[in-house]
Amino acid sequence: MGTVVLTMKASVIEMFLVLLVTGIHSNKEMTKKIKRLKFNVPQINCDVKAGKIINPEFIVKCPAGCQDPKYHVYGTDVYASYSSVCGAAVHSGVLDNSGGKILVRKVAGQSGYKGSYSNGVQSLSLPRWRESFIVSESKPQKGVTYPSALTYSSSKSPAAKAGETTKAYERPSVPGTTAQPVTLMQVLAVTTAEATHTTLPKPSPSTASTTSSPRPQPMGHRSREMDLWSTPTYTSSQNRPGANPGFVPKEELSTQSLEPVSLGDPNCKVDLSFLIDGSSSIGKRRFRIQKQFLADIAQALDIGPAGPLMGVVQYGDNPATHFNLRTHTNSRDLKTAIEKITQRGGLANAGRAISFVTKNFFSKANGNRGGSPNVAVVLVDGWPTDKVEEASRLARESGINIFFITIEGAVENEKQYVPEPNFVNKAVCRTNGFYSFHVQSWFGLHKTLQPLVKRVCDTERLACSKTCLNSADVGFVIDGSSSVGTGNFRTVLQFVANLSKEFEISDTDTRVGAVQYTYEQRLEFGFDKYSSKADVLNAIKRVGYWSGGTSTGAAINYALEQLFKKSKPNKRKLMILITDGRSYDDVRIPALAAHLKGVITYAVGVAWAAQEELEVIATHPARDHSFFVDDFDNLYQYVSRIIRNICTEFNSQPRN
């Protein structure tokens, strides 16, 4: 019995020694692994923004080529977290374009960021932003543990491009404190857990604002409010947990089927585009207020095919159409669609959004009805991050009535960060206050609802619906004298047709009339004769060549009496006179009479026409209103130039 006990004791001691030796060996191996992990510097791409990375302090390796201007940087020395990390490193001089390792430390947001040119990189200015960072050489601070793998704010992180693994958020070491030693059992436990699966921990309230959104937010009164742990809402039984996805309650079904659908308010037949601010600066709460405002607008307008139609474009870095004019044709469906809109984030590039709407939104394919005024209402939180003047000018010239609603504008010490001072007056259709609203607080936005609805429905005052091509009475005065000849007369008529094609012709838009003259005058057709472009072009083809002398002065007087006397008061009066020779009568008094009656006269001379006579007939300045062509066959070359001059003159009118 004693022998057995001694044998067992020897076996236990032997086993203990084996485990001890094995443990020491394993501990050494683990220590080596930990040391190797300590120096594993994660690599990122040039386009990675600091705001995408949750870690408050980290060392990374940047690739070559980050000096490229497509990697945007905001600020100088202290950079907004919306900046490219590696681009900022090049701008600051810590790296050159060949790349390398850097130390990045997050700091508080600034009230503004000044752009500058440094080390081959042009950084940009930016309004206040909630988070910043600074870049320095990659010298680890004593007592700080730097992550070997970065934590990103979304699962689809850009780290994947660089071959880096994204991991769950771990509480980082606080700078200036001593890192706790890692024991063998802790390393084994972590290794085992990673070998099976990783569970994302529920973030604490202190970290919720960092982990809830992939985009950083501005600081101050425009910061994002957190809704991470708010109770979800469900718009229908199909979205409720546990509900049958194909089941609609009987009471809902009966309500939907019995509710009448309006055809819309016929007293407000406008085509509307709302450009809503989806930038990161606005925050979730204010974005919901904006959506509620849109829903209330949809209800107040009484949307329908016989009345107003409405679409929504959201802008951030880039604009995107949520739905166009033909997508929803009643207020009920439109309100439901508005509720489903989610915030895009990014900058507040309103100018880019206005350009997008001008080029894409108001098209026939998107439901634009042609005869209805086009209206774009732009909502801006604070101020845009790009310029709006040029984009708005092109929109106005396209017949779009631009309205601006600005909420919580820049205070005095923030105005230096506004890219374009007085941007509202540079953008709106008219600067008389009719097209702009300023709201001191988002909670007061609802007060603009009724005034806005009243204004967008007041089609008589939507001045920008009138363009150079849709708001004129154009009278052609055509020389049919013997010197022209039959063949050249047909060329003149083709020139008249080519000019007419450029206008938007209808009984409410541009109207066209024509007079032919020799010694005598003849009304070919008046402004009220034809109300479509096709009919006008056919009428021009049917004009017969008359032949005779050249009494241009008498022809101008005749056109004033027979054409322009019947012009509508709200129309621009344009006379386009074409002649091939000197007049047999005096043109000075008739030309003066035309100018005094507000008729803008363009004089086109061919072959033997007298240049000085053309300049007398033409409206001042003559260089913009008189043209000379040496041959009838070259008339076509002046179509675009004449139309351009007509539009330039129209668009140069004061906007007050």
Side-chain angles (χ1 to χ4, degrees):
M1 184 67 179
T3 305
V4 173
V5 171
L6 288 172
T7 304
M8 288 178 65
K9 286 182 178 180
S11 299
V12 170
I13 292 169
E14 184 180 357
M15 187 181 297
F16 176 76
L17 290 172
V18 170
L19 287 172
L20 182 62
V21 172
T22 304
I24 292 169
H25 178 74
S26 299
N27 200 13
K28 286 180 180 179
E29 290 298 316
M30 286 298 176
T31 303
K32 289 179 181 177
K33 288 182 180 179
I34 292 168
K35 287 181 178 180
R36 283 199 299 271
L37 286 171
K38 182 178 178 182
F39 295 102
N40 181 25
V41 176
Q43 181 171 335
I44 62 174
N45 289 335
C46 296
D47 60 354
V48 174
K49 299 172 183 176
K52 279 285 195 180
I53 301 170
I54 291 176
N55 308 82
E57 190 168 355
F58 50 90
I59 295 176
V60 290
K61 184 177 181 181
C62 292
C66 296
Q67 197 178 52
D68 194 306
K70 70 181 179 181
Y71 306 120
H72 294 165
V73 177
Y74 299 90
T76 302
D77 297 330
V78 178
Y79 302 95
S81 61
Y82 199 66
S83 305
S84 156
V85 173
C86 298
V90 177
H91 181 270
S92 66
V94 174
L95 290 183
D96 57 25
N97 202 37
S98 61
K101 297 178 183 178
I102 55 170
L103 172 61
V104 179
R105 183 162 58 90
K106 299 284 188 71
V107 295
Q110 307 291 305
S111 60
Y113 300 82
K114 281 282 189 182
S116 65
Y117 183 80
S118 178
N119 301 306
V121 176
Q122 176 65 59
S123 70
L124 307 172
S125 297
L126 190 70
R128 54 188 182 273
W129 207 255
R130 95 164 163 79
E131 186 183 56
S132 310
F133 69 99
I134 56 176
V135 184
S136 58
E137 295 179 2
S138 59
K139 294 180 180 179
Q141 296 182 22
K142 188 176 181 181
V144 179
T145 301
Y146 297 98
S148 58
L150 300 176
T151 306
Y152 289 87
S153 59
S154 71
S155 58
K156 295 180 180 180
S157 76
K161 299 176 185 177
E164 183 188 324
T165 302
T166 304
K167 66 176 186 177
Y169 179 64
E170 298 173 0
R171 187 180 297 277
S173 301
V174 178
T177 61
T178 305
Q180 296 296 319
V182 182
T183 65
L184 175 64
M185 294 308 295
Q186 287 172 324
V187 172
L188 288 172
V190 171
T191 305
T192 304
E194 289 179 347
T196 55
H197 65 277
T198 302
T199 302
L200 291 174
K202 179 177 178 179
S204 65
S206 62
T207 61
S209 62
T210 310
T211 59
S212 65
S213 170
R215 293 188 181 275
Q217 306 304 324
M219 61 175 289
H221 72 277
R222 298 171 72 194
S223 61
R224 289 175 80 118
E225 289 93 355
M226 276 309 305
D227 298 309
L228 190 62
W229 307 115
S230 60
T231 304
T233 57
Y234 305 99
T235 55
S236 73
S237 62
Q238 294 166 314
N239 295 328
R240 298 187 190 109
N244 184 342
F247 173 74
V248 179
K250 184 177 181 180
E251 60 273 16
E252 285 190 24
L253 188 62
S254 61
T255 301
Q256 291 171 1
S257 59
L258 293 176
E259 185 178 343
V261 177
S262 171
L263 293 177
D265 180 3
N267 297 316
C268 182
K269 195 173 181 181
V270 294
D271 290 342
L272 276 162
S273 172
F274 276 82
L275 284 68
I276 62 171
D277 189 340
S279 63
S280 300
S281 68
I282 193 173
K284 288 185 177 180
R285 186 179 185 184
R286 296 182 181 94
F287 190 75
R288 285 199 302 271
I289 293 173
Q290 186 176 213
K291 289 204 303 180
Q292 185 59 53
F293 177 71
L294 284 190
D296 293 343
I297 287 283
Q299 185 65 45
L301 281 172
D302 187 12
I303 300 296
L309 293 178
M310 175 176 159
V312 175
V313 171
Q314 183 183 169
Y315 66 91
D317 289 339
N318 295 296
T321 302
H322 284 285
F323 37 86
N324 60 35
L325 296 168
R326 66 168 67 240
T327 310
H328 304 292
T329 55
N330 63 73
S331 295
R332 183 190 65 204
D333 292 347
L334 187 58
K335 289 170 66 178
T336 302
I338 290 168
E339 178 59 33
K340 295 177 181 178
I341 294 175
T342 57
Q343 187 177 0
R344 293 175 62 83
L347 301 176
N349 290 330
R352 187 175 295 177
I354 294 169
S355 294
F356 173 82
V357 165
T358 302
K359 295 174 184 176
N360 302 289
F361 188 86
F362 291 109
S363 66
K364 188 174 182 180
N366 287 334
N368 187 36
R369 291 173 288 186
S372 302
N374 294 159
V375 177
V377 182
V378 186
L379 285 89
V380 180
D381 177 42
W383 60 87
T385 51
D386 64 348
K387 294 184 178 182
V388 300
E389 182 175 15
E390 179 63 15
S392 299
R393 181 185 67 79
L394 294 173
R396 294 194 304 268
E397 291 177 6
S398 300
I400 301 172
N401 295 273
I402 304 278
F403 284 78
F404 255 71
I405 303 176
T406 54
I407 306 100
E408 299 183 3
V411 296
E412 194 60 39
N413 65 345
E414 293 173 332
K415 289 181 179 179
Q416 60 180 316
Y417 303 116
V418 179
E420 190 174 35
N422 198 28
F423 64 90
V424 171
N425 279 344
K426 293 176 180 178
V428 293
C429 180
R430 293 288 184 271
T431 58
N432 55 10
F434 182 79
Y435 292 87
S436 59
F437 299 87
H438 178 68
V439 184
Q440 295 294 334
S441 165
W442 276 95
F443 301 107
L445 180 60
H446 67 281
K447 295 178 182 178
T448 66
L449 191 150
Q450 289 302 329
L452 178 64
V453 168
K454 185 177 180 181
R455 294 183 194 184
V456 299
C457 292
D458 189 356
T459 55
E460 290 300 315
R461 293 191 64 182
L462 295 179
C464 281
S465 297
K466 298 180 177 67
T467 71
C468 58
L469 300 177
N470 72 4
S471 59
D473 280 342
V474 182
F476 291 97
V477 181
I478 306 167
D479 183 350
S481 62
S482 303
S483 58
V484 174
T486 304
N488 288 334
F489 188 77
R490 304 317 301 175
T491 303
V492 170
L493 291 183
Q494 186 59 55
F495 173 67
V496 170
N498 289 342
L499 284 169
S500 299
K501 286 177 185 177
E502 297 294 323
F503 292 95
E504 298 172 25
I505 298 173
S506 76
D507 55 350
T508 57
D509 294 314
T510 290
R511 303 185 304 168
V512 176
V515 167
Q516 183 183 177
Y517 73 96
T518 58
Y519 283 125
E520 300 177 281
Q521 306 83 34
R522 178 168 82 195
L523 179 65
E524 300 292 352
F525 54 91
F527 292 137
D528 55 356
K529 182 72 173 177
Y530 303 110
S531 58
S532 74
K533 187 177 294 187
D535 288 344
V536 167
L537 295 177
N538 285 330
I540 293 169
K541 287 181 183 178
R542 293 194 299 268
V543 173
Y545 177 47
W546 202 358
S547 187
T550 310
S551 295
T552 305
I556 294 172
N557 280 330
Y558 182 86
L560 293 178
E561 286 298 316
Q562 299 301 317
L563 265 182
F564 291 102
K565 197 170 185 178
K566 299 177 182 179
S567 184
K568 291 183 178 180
N570 62 341
K571 298 288 186 181
R572 294 176 76 225
K573 303 174 184 65
L574 302 178
M575 180 191 296
I576 302 177
L577 184 144
I578 307 108
T579 181
D580 80 326
R582 185 180 293 273
S583 177
Y584 293 171
D585 61 354
D586 184 67
V587 299
R588 290 174 294 180
I589 294 176
L592 179 60
H595 301 162
L596 292 175
K597 290 181 179 180
V599 178
I600 302 168
T601 307
Y602 290 82
V604 182
V606 190
W608 301 280
Q611 183 70 44
E612 70 277 9
E613 200 169 78
L614 296 175
E615 292 177 359
V616 169
I617 295 169
T619 296
H620 180 79
R623 66 177 180 275
D624 296 329
H625 298 85
S626 66
F627 308 90
F628 180 80
V629 188
D630 58 358
D631 190 274
F632 284 95
D633 290 337
N634 293 328
L635 272 171
Y636 74 94
Q637 298 177 3
Y638 285 80
V639 172
S640 60
R641 184 174 169 187
I642 291 171
I643 294 296
R644 184 170 63 248
N645 286 9
I646 288 171
C647 288
T648 299
E649 185 173 43
F650 177 87
N651 295 322
S652 64
Q653 297 175 101
R655 294 191 301 113
N656 50 28

